[in-house]
Amino acid sequence: MTSAPLSPGGTIGILGGGQLGRMIALAAAPLGLKVHVYSPDPQSPAFDVAAERTIAAYDDETALALFAESVDVVTYEFENVPAETARLVSAHRPLFPDAHALATTQDRLSEKSFLRDLGLPTPAFAAVDDRASLAAAVGAISRPAVLKTRRFGYDGKGQVLVREGLGLDAALGMMNGQPAILEAFVPFRAEVSVIAARGRDGDFAAYDVVENRHENHILRTSHVPAAIKPETAAAAVAIARKIADAFAYVGVFAVEMFLVDGPTGEKVIVNEIAPRVHNSGHWTIEGAETSQFEQHVRAIAGWPLGSTRTRGAVVMTNLLGAEANGWRELLAEPGVAVHLYGKGEPKPGRKMGHVTRVT
Amino acid sequence: MTSAPLSPGGTIGILGGGQLGRMIALAAAPLGLKVHVYSPDPQSPAFDVAAERTIAAYDDETALALFAESVDVVTYEFENVPAETARLVSAHRPLFPDAHALATTQDRLSEKSFLRDLGLPTPAFAAVDDRASLAAAVGAISRPAVLKTRRFGYDGKGQVLVREGLGLDAALGMMNGQPAILEAFVPFRAEVSVIAARGRDGDFAAYDVVENRHENHILRTSHVPAAIKPETAAAAVAIARKIADAFAYVGVFAVEMFLVDGPTGEKVIVNEIAPRVHNSGHWTIEGAETSQFEQHVRAIAGWPLGSTRTRGAVVMTNLLGAEANGWRELLAEPGVAVHLYGKGEPKPGRKMGHVTRVT
């Protein structure tokens, strides 16, 4: 379903009520737009800044139809929106990014196949459905390799490193019977990401490449500019553009990549695509002329994309679990922008907020 | 009533639902705070970004009590909050800025008397209650002078310039029988303002002095830095600090001043105090390290004040009436931050939004 660009006063529907939805809502308001947040969780942080809220399950057809009919365009803040939910919503209002981008990226096998078909660099990979296909995959890719569930993995969940000595049955057991994918282990020097946007008119804009440091598979800090060569950065952005154009994508997305040192110098290999605003783009709120959240709103509204120019050297640090309890000291530090997500319990590893320093 | 500082997860109550309340709410959310907006107008722009809303009159004692009991601290976004409303709310929760600052500044005579008692420079003034006191005032101050209602004036409403040839009866008639004040006309070179904050602990922080240009008594543009001498800027900030300390003020406020050229060089004369965030401080959202809205939230929450450092040369331009219809062209201009207030009708002169350019 297509539609005219939004006008100020229009309403964006957001599937999902977490911090990403909350920050989209906070970016929509200064542009004169309302948001309607749909989430099954009554404690959703995004509800606090939404003009309208629906508390309902993602398979509640009636609630989804009412929600879609009440807004001008629908987006989502997590990539595990069920395909059927996307289909139902799309029948009433435009969904950006669309159901095809969503379906492709929420399954690691279809995502990797899509990338390979575009001629983009990915780790070697093979589908794993059972003991026999795992044995064949390990034979083809060799160890070490990473066995991952095809769906619903995030922050390292649903992954196991298949090293020498790990039995195939043990590895397969950790997939809990879910379809999986085996990927070659990439001995990367760094992890980088490209945050970019494509507008309804095909216009494209990328931010400076981000360098990301993880701890226990959870993003710890993002650094801009990344310590990579200009030509490597250009190649990374070109990959993002190729992905966006192939999807006729609308909205902000992230492409996570490995930076590796090869015989011909450094290069990037695509790890995964997130069809949404991304944690490694939070630095743009203070560090770029247009935040990734405003950019996403502009793109899905059918509006001109904003400037992605970086404002300085930027470091974004996630506040995980009890680290958020240090909010008062952080607020007292000059020039630090503090973001707290309004979540209740600071469970270990839970993303409670982040801070950004621009110098 | 005093109270402990807020913690993330706490709630700020805001009396008034206009764009200032909306921008306070948008600044509170990233700090993990909720807002509850109280306004009699169901179409209040601030409702769109508030966790809780109360639609009720400012003299509805029951609604005010329920509202106050539901929050941790109360503030307001317009200075004409009735004294009785302030009293009722203060009985339940701390009100920042307090009822004394509110009462003093919402009456031009008490405001000017307060300034004079502090030894601060103001235009000559005299109370006008009737024909006789107006004649005496004009005799003492001489023409040209400005006759203003003591209360409820804004954007030039409730004012008349008493020139040669304007009869006193005609001037008095324009006050509609309301108590008034006659002020000497100040032949100013420029209008400037100081936006500053005082925390609960007495800490004080001012932004760079702002130069303001008006059209038809409505703010058109704000410019930072103002074209004034450093010692004049320091004197302006010192005035703001004296005012804040005299009130034991908590929150952000604005002091509007005239810049005049005297025999000993340029100096400032205080025009009026606004006990709230202020239109001439909107530039701080992009142009300063901490916005006036976040600073206000920090102050009333009992938190450390943020850095007021300016990020460049900044110009803020109000979008009045139908000017807001040019939003699409403004969005396409690189580096322009567009703010639309979510108001329905673009009536002539109505503040529909603003744009900020930082260079």
Side-chain angles (χ1 to χ4, degrees):
Chain A
M1 172 177 277
T2 59
S3 76
L6 272 66
S7 291
T11 302
I12 292 172
I14 303 175
L15 293 166
Q19 68 264 25
L20 300 179
R22 180 176 166 106
M23 289 188 271
I24 293 170
L26 291 173
L31 300 175
L33 296 169
K34 296 179 173 67
V35 306
H36 182 160
V37 171
Y38 187 109
S39 168
D41 178 4
Q43 303 301 320
S44 295
F47 282 162
D48 291 344
V49 290
E52 301 290 340
R53 299 134 199 179
T54 296
I55 304 172
Y58 291 120
D59 61 359
D60 184 332
E61 294 190 24
T62 308
L64 284 169
L66 285 169
F67 163 74
E69 290 287 342
S70 79
V71 304
D72 297 296
V73 63
V74 179
T75 190
Y76 44 89
E77 56 116 49
F78 68 116
E79 63 270 48
N80 291 320
V81 173
E84 181 62 10
T85 304
R87 195 191 63 74
L88 285 165
V89 163
S90 298
H92 296 276
R93 288 293 183 276
L95 176 71
F96 295 127
D98 70 13
H100 174 57
L102 184 64
T104 304
T105 57
Q106 69 188 195
D107 179 314
R108 293 184 194 280
L109 183 63
S110 64
E111 182 182 50
K112 288 279 184 330
S113 305
F114 165 83
L115 292 165
R116 184 180 54 193
D117 293 348
L118 284 177
L120 298 176
T122 68
F125 65 91
V128 172
D129 297 311
D130 50 25
R131 181 69 165 70
S133 50
L134 176 56
V138 170
I141 294 169
S142 82
R143 303 174 186 236
V146 188
L147 186 64
K148 304 176 176 177
T149 55
R150 282 171 54 178
R151 300 171 62 94
F152 303 117
Y154 70 97
D155 289 351
K157 291 180 171 63
Q159 300 192 13
V160 57
L161 184 65
V162 183
R163 305 174 179 272
E164 297 299 334
L166 180 68
L168 297 191
D169 289 326
L172 203 60
M174 296 176 80
M175 297 296 102
N176 290 316
Q178 297 175 73
I181 180 174
L182 188 75
E183 300 177 6
F185 176 80
V186 178
F188 58 83
R189 190 178 87 213
E191 292 174 278
V192 299
S193 60
V194 175
I195 308 293
R198 188 174 175 280
R200 288 204 208 173
D201 58 359
D203 195 20
F204 175 87
Y207 293 92
D208 281 344
V209 176
V210 189
E211 187 172 337
N212 300 308
R213 298 182 193 157
H214 293 78
E215 280 176 19
N216 303 320
H217 296 281
I218 298 171
L219 182 64
R220 161 58 57 190
T221 57
S222 292
H223 304 256
V224 176
I228 59 174
K229 294 179 180 166
E231 57 268 32
T232 314
V237 169
I239 288 170
R241 179 156 207 166
K242 200 159 185 179
I243 292 168
D245 288 341
F247 279 133
Y249 192 92
V250 176
V252 163
F253 63 104
V255 186
E256 297 184 62
M257 306 181 194
F258 299 119
L259 184 73
V260 297
D261 291 311
T264 57
E266 68 181 24
K267 63 173 184 170
V268 289
I269 294 175
V270 180
N271 179 25
E272 63 181 60
I273 305 164
R276 53 167 171 81
V277 291
H278 194 257
N279 194 169
S280 72
H282 290 0
W283 64 273
T284 59
I285 297 176
E286 293 82 20
E289 286 193 346
T290 307
S291 80
Q292 66 165 346
F293 303 101
E294 176 173 339
Q295 193 78 308
H296 186 65
V297 169
R298 285 171 174 251
I300 67 175
W303 292 359
L305 298 182
S307 161
T308 54
R309 204 172 69 83
T310 300
R311 287 190 169 131
V314 192
V315 180
M316 187 287 306
T317 305
N318 274 334
L319 301 176
L320 304 176
E323 290 172 1
N325 296 338
W327 58 272
R328 201 179 166 92
E329 288 68 40
L330 290 165
L331 283 169
E333 195 183 322
V336 174
V338 178
H339 297 261
L340 300 172
Y341 301 151
K343 294 180 178 177
E345 253 189 280
K347 293 175 200 153
R350 190 178 192 197
K351 292 174 181 172
M352 302 299 292
H354 73 269
V355 295
T356 303
R357 295 174 174 88
V358 183
T359 49
Chain B
M1 173 176 280
T2 59
S3 75
L6 272 66
S7 291
T11 302
I12 293 173
I14 302 174
L15 293 166
Q19 68 264 26
L20 299 180
R22 180 176 167 105
M23 289 187 273
I24 294 170
L26 290 173
L31 300 176
L33 296 169
K34 296 179 173 66
V35 306
H36 183 161
V37 171
Y38 188 110
S39 167
D41 177 4
Q43 302 302 318
S44 295
F47 282 161
D48 291 345
V49 289
E52 301 290 340
R53 300 133 195 176
T54 296
I55 304 172
Y58 291 120
D59 60 359
D60 183 332
E61 293 190 26
T62 308
L64 284 169
L66 285 169
F67 162 73
E69 290 289 340
S70 79
V71 304
D72 297 296
V73 63
V74 179
T75 190
Y76 44 88
E77 55 116 50
F78 69 116
E79 63 270 48
N80 290 320
V81 172
E84 181 62 9
T85 304
R87 196 191 62 74
L88 284 166
V89 163
S90 299
H92 297 275
R93 287 293 183 275
L95 177 70
F96 296 124
D98 71 11
H100 173 58
L102 184 64
T104 304
T105 57
Q106 69 187 192
D107 179 314
R108 292 183 194 282
L109 183 63
S110 65
E111 181 182 50
K112 288 277 185 326
S113 304
F114 165 83
L115 292 165
R116 184 179 54 194
D117 293 349
L118 285 178
L120 298 176
T122 69
F125 64 92
V128 171
D129 295 312
D130 50 26
R131 181 68 163 72
S133 51
L134 176 57
V138 171
I141 292 169
S142 82
R143 302 174 187 237
V146 188
L147 186 63
K148 303 176 176 178
T149 56
R150 281 171 54 178
R151 298 170 65 92
F152 303 116
Y154 70 98
D155 290 351
K157 290 181 173 61
Q159 299 193 12
V160 57
L161 184 66
V162 183
R163 304 174 180 276
E164 296 302 331
L166 179 70
L168 297 191
D169 289 326
L172 203 59
M174 297 175 80
M175 298 295 103
N176 290 315
Q178 295 175 74
I181 180 174
L182 190 75
E183 300 177 5
F185 175 80
V186 177
F188 58 84
R189 190 179 86 212
E191 293 174 277
V192 299
S193 59
V194 175
I195 308 293
R198 189 175 175 281
R200 288 204 206 171
D201 58 359
D203 194 20
F204 176 89
Y207 293 92
D208 282 345
V209 176
V210 189
E211 186 173 338
N212 300 308
R213 299 180 193 156
H214 293 77
E215 281 176 18
N216 303 319
H217 296 281
I218 299 171
L219 182 64
R220 161 56 61 188
T221 57
S222 292
H223 304 255
V224 177
I228 59 173
K229 294 179 181 166
E231 57 267 32
T232 314
V237 170
I239 288 170
R241 179 157 206 164
K242 200 161 186 179
I243 291 168
D245 288 340
F247 278 134
Y249 192 91
V250 175
V252 163
F253 64 106
V255 186
E256 296 183 62
M257 306 181 192
F258 299 120
L259 183 72
V260 298
D261 291 312
T264 56
E266 68 181 25
K267 62 174 184 171
V268 288
I269 294 175
V270 180
N271 180 24
E272 63 182 59
I273 305 163
R276 53 168 171 80
V277 291
H278 194 256
N279 194 170
S280 72
H282 289 1
W283 65 273
T284 59
I285 297 176
E286 292 83 17
E289 286 193 346
T290 307
S291 80
Q292 66 166 343
F293 303 102
E294 176 174 339
Q295 192 78 306
H296 186 66
V297 169
R298 285 171 174 252
I300 67 175
W303 292 359
L305 298 182
S307 161
T308 55
R309 204 172 68 84
T310 301
R311 286 192 170 128
V314 193
V315 180
M316 187 289 306
T317 304
N318 274 334
L319 300 176
L320 304 175
E323 290 171 0
N325 296 338
W327 59 271
R328 202 180 165 89
E329 288 68 38
L330 291 164
L331 282 170
E333 195 183 320
V336 174
V338 178
H339 297 261
L340 301 171
Y341 302 151
K343 294 181 178 178
E345 254 190 280
K347 294 176 198 152
R350 191 178 192 197
K351 292 174 181 171
M352 301 299 291
H354 74 269
V355 294
T356 303
R357 294 174 175 89
V358 183
T359 50

